[in-house]
């Protein structure tokens, strides 16, 4: 039974009215899958072992470059964010870790923060550094770059910050550092494009040298924004090149929104796995660019195809397969807890559908160039409604059969509005 702010009995009481209907749906799907040679209980057990991290920054309202609209009961510090994360985990049971971001989540007592998380049934995932914003009393500005900056003083400051993040993460029980830099240019000729990459790799190597033995360094690429002419780590190739030069503990992180429109992200997954550099995922969705929309809200089929490649990688681990999975979204108009619950379900559904693919039939069709048979083996899995499997996995873990309904029934925001400080108007996403 998961720990957290909600009384577990309250979750079970909410499940009672829909339990009989769920049993009927689960048994019916089980009979259907059995005719396809699939054990529904085996799939449910595999799903129960799957988990995601929640970003601390995603538990508050996001925004655009133009405005941020606060909501009542929104968390104002990392301890309140942990409370909200615990609610998500209690209800959906596949988000047991929180990924913190520094300096936003800096505290005086990291050991105490870890103990507070443990008391709510949570652990900490990868820690994230911030060299894309200037902080109060900061000696050097990141206006023209951080790890790749022309000024050595700026680079040294960025290196020191990342090493501080590693130290904090060690106290929190983390085993990975995610590095995303906003470095790049907005005008042709602004910087030498080759030398800027050299400076990045040299500076990143100093951070890499500070990693504990059992840690990983996850390099995140981004096509554009805020650097609109060129980004230093702009694509998976640049990220893979840097990771290869840094060493075996450096891997690539794939954010689903950080690509040009219509790029084949699932192929990128396969390529990075082939190189032994597939380190992790930030799940979200995109319509136009780096939109950070809720996972599966725009293109759930792409999410399924990504997981199809992840299952292939899992079955053929080559040099190893242990990706860090995290939701990474900006919730501009929704309650972040509701969006997290919705996204966790969409991601779990894509993963479960990918497990239903008849791999033997798929590989046989590929081997004999039977294009339609190969396509239909994927389509059959994608068309399957796996909702009963997701609900059963949650129920067995002590979660809610209908998480969103359960969350709304406790009126969490109304309760927190009475006890949390009000978040003021914001000028932008952070």
């Amino acid at each position: 039974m998961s720990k957290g702010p909600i009384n577990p009995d309250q979750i079970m009481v909410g499940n009672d009215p829909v339990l009989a209907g769920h049993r009927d749906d689960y048994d019916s799907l089980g009979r259907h899958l059995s005719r396809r040679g699939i054990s529904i209980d085996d799939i449910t057990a595999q799903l129960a072992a799957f988990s995601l991290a929640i970003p601390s920054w995603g538990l508050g309202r996001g925004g655009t470059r133009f405005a941020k609209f606060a909501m009542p009961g929104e968390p104002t510090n990392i301890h309140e964010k942990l409370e909200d994360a615990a609610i998500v985990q209690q209800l959906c049971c596949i988000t047991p870790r929180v990924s913190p971001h520094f300096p936003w989540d800096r505290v005086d007592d990291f050991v105490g923060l870890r103990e507070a998380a443990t008391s709510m049934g949570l652990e900490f995932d990868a820690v994230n550094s911030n060299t894309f914003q200037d902080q109060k009393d900061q000696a050097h500005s990141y206006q023209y770059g951080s790890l790749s900056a022309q000024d050595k003083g700026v680079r040294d400051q960025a290196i020191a910050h990342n090493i501080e993040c590693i130290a904090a993460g060690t106290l929190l029980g983390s085993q990975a550092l995610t590095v995303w830099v906003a470095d790049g240019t907005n005008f042709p000729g602004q910087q030498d494009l080759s030398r800027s990459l050299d400076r990045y790799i040299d500076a990143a190597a100093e951070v890499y040298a500070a990693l504990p033995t059992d840690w990983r360094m996850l390099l995140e690429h981004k096509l554009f924004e805020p650097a609109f002419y060129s980004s230093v780590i702009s694509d998976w190739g640049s990220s893979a090149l840097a990771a290869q030069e840094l060493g075996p503990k450096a891997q690539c992180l794939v954010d689903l929104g950080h690509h040009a429109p219509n790029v084949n992200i699932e192929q990128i997954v396969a390529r990075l796995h082939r190189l032994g550099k597939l380190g992790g995922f930030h799940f979200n969705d995109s319509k136009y660019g780096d939109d950070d929309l809720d996972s599966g809200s725009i293109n759930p089929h792409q999410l399924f195809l990504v997981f199809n490649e992840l299952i292939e990688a899992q079955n053929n681990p080559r040099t190893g397969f242990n990706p860090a999975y995290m939701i990474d979204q900006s919730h501009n108009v929704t309650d972040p807890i509701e969006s997290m619950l919705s996204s966790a379900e969409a991601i779990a559904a894509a993963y479960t559908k990918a497990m239903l693919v008849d791999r033997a039939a798929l590989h046989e069709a590929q081997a004999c160039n039977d294009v339609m048979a190969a396509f239909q083996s994927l389509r059959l899995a994608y068309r399957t409604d796996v909702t009963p499997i997701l609900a059963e996995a949650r129920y067995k873990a002590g979660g809610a059969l209908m998480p969103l309904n359960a969350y709304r029934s406790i009126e969490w925001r109304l309760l927190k509005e009475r006890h949390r400080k009000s978040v003021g108007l914001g000028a932008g996403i952070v």
Side-chain angles (χ1 to χ4, degrees):
M1 191 73 67
S2 182
K3 303 176 184 178
I6 306 176
N7 185 329
D9 292 338
Q10 189 174 0
I11 297 176
M12 292 300 105
V13 168
N15 286 337
D16 286 343
V18 294
L19 182 57
H22 162 68
R23 282 275 165 257
D24 186 50
D25 291 343
Y26 187 78
D27 292 342
S28 176
L29 178 58
R31 290 190 294 272
H32 168 76
L33 292 177
S34 180
R35 292 192 292 273
R36 289 161 52 181
I38 300 171
S39 166
I40 191 172
D41 291 334
D42 288 349
I43 297 296
T44 303
Q46 291 179 65
L47 174 60
F50 176 79
S51 65
L52 296 156
I54 289 179
S56 65
W57 59 95
L59 290 161
R61 269 281 175 88
T64 67
R65 291 181 295 131
F66 305 102
K68 173 180 175 179
F69 300 97
M71 67 178 296
E74 186 176 346
T76 60
N77 57 56
I78 182 59
H79 287 279
E80 293 177 351
K81 293 172 186 176
L82 288 178
E83 279 190 317
D84 287 6
I87 291 285
V88 177
Q89 167 60 5
Q90 265 197 292
L91 295 175
C92 76
C93 300
I94 60 168
T95 57
R97 298 180 304 282
V98 175
S99 186
H101 209 298
F102 302 123
W104 299 338
D105 297 322
R106 182 179 289 155
V107 295
D108 293 330
D109 182 7
F110 285 109
V111 173
L113 182 64
R114 183 178 182 181
E115 291 172 351
T118 300
S119 71
M120 290 183 272
L122 299 171
E123 296 178 341
F124 286 98
D125 202 75
V127 295
N128 300 261
S129 59
N130 180 340
T131 60
F132 53 86
Q133 284 180 325
D134 288 349
Q135 308 298 326
K136 185 179 179 181
D137 300 324
Q138 186 173 300
H140 303 279
S141 175
Y142 294 129
Q143 181 176 359
Y144 299 114
S146 59
L147 291 177
S148 74
Q150 303 267 10
D151 189 318
K152 185 178 184 301
V154 177
R155 297 198 302 274
D156 288 345
Q157 176 180 274
I159 292 167
H161 170 64
N162 277 279
I163 293 174
E164 288 171 2
C165 291
I166 294 171
T170 301
L171 295 174
L172 292 175
S174 174
Q175 290 185 309
L177 169 71
T178 296
V179 178
W180 172 72
V181 295
D183 299 23
T185 65
N186 281 283
F187 289 88
Q190 181 179 334
Q191 289 184 8
D192 184 292
L193 300 181
S194 293
R195 291 191 179 94
S196 62
L197 179 59
D198 290 340
R199 291 193 296 270
Y200 169 87
I201 293 175
D202 289 345
E206 295 191 45
V207 178
Y208 182 92
L211 291 173
T213 304
D214 57 350
W215 272 55
R216 290 185 292 169
M217 184 172 174
L218 304 177
L219 308 183
E220 182 175 1
H221 64 269
K222 187 173 182 179
L223 180 66
F224 72 101
E225 192 192 34
F228 286 93
Y229 176 68
S230 70
S231 294
V232 173
I233 304 296
S234 59
D235 52 32
W236 73 272
S238 301
S239 180
L241 184 152
Q244 285 180 317
E245 291 204 20
L246 290 173
K249 290 187 287 187
Q251 295 182 304
C252 304
L253 188 147
V254 179
D255 185 302
L256 295 185
H258 289 189
H259 307 270
N262 302 318
V263 163
N264 190 327
I265 299 175
E266 52 270 30
Q267 183 170 340
I268 293 173
V269 173
R271 294 290 184 266
L272 288 175
H273 176 59
R274 170 67 177 77
L275 295 172
K277 290 299 182 182
L278 183 61
F281 274 83
H282 281 182
F283 290 108
N284 50 56
D285 214 333
S286 173
K287 178 66 175 176
Y288 299 107
D290 185 17
D291 305 325
D292 274 348
L293 303 177
D294 286 15
S295 299
S297 62
I298 304 296
N299 195 347
H301 188 245
Q302 181 188 63
L303 188 58
F304 161 74
L305 294 175
V306 165
F307 269 108
N308 179 61
E309 293 303 323
L310 290 170
I311 295 294
E312 289 286 345
Q314 177 180 293
N315 293 343
N316 301 279
R318 293 181 182 255
T319 56
F321 180 77
N322 184 31
Y325 294 138
M326 190 188 81
I327 300 172
D328 183 17
Q329 304 171 172
S330 178
H331 310 114
N332 303 338
V333 295
T334 61
D335 180 333
I337 291 180
E338 293 192 355
S339 276
M340 289 292 183
L341 290 170
S342 175
S343 293
E345 177 137 353
I347 294 165
Y351 173 63
T352 303
K353 290 180 179 185
M355 286 193 289
L356 299 182
V357 173
D358 186 334
R359 299 285 155 189
L362 174 62
H363 297 157
E364 181 180 354
Q366 291 170 340
C368 61
N369 295 316
D370 191 337
V371 177
M372 185 53 67
F375 170 67
Q376 289 299 328
S377 66
L378 296 183
R379 183 49 55 94
L380 176 62
Y382 180 69
R383 284 200 308 256
T384 306
D385 181 2
V386 297
T387 304
I389 297 176
L390 309 186
E392 180 69 6
R394 288 194 299 268
Y395 183 75
K396 286 184 173 180
L401 288 172
M402 302 178 69
L404 183 57
N405 289 359
Y407 170 66
R408 290 189 170 189
S409 72
I410 67 172
E411 298 185 326
W412 179 252
R413 290 299 177 202
L414 288 176
L415 175 64
K416 294 293 105 177
E417 184 179 3
R418 303 187 192 111
H419 302 287
R420 292 177 177 173
K421 294 180 183 177
S422 176
V423 177
L425 299 176
I429 191 168
V430 292

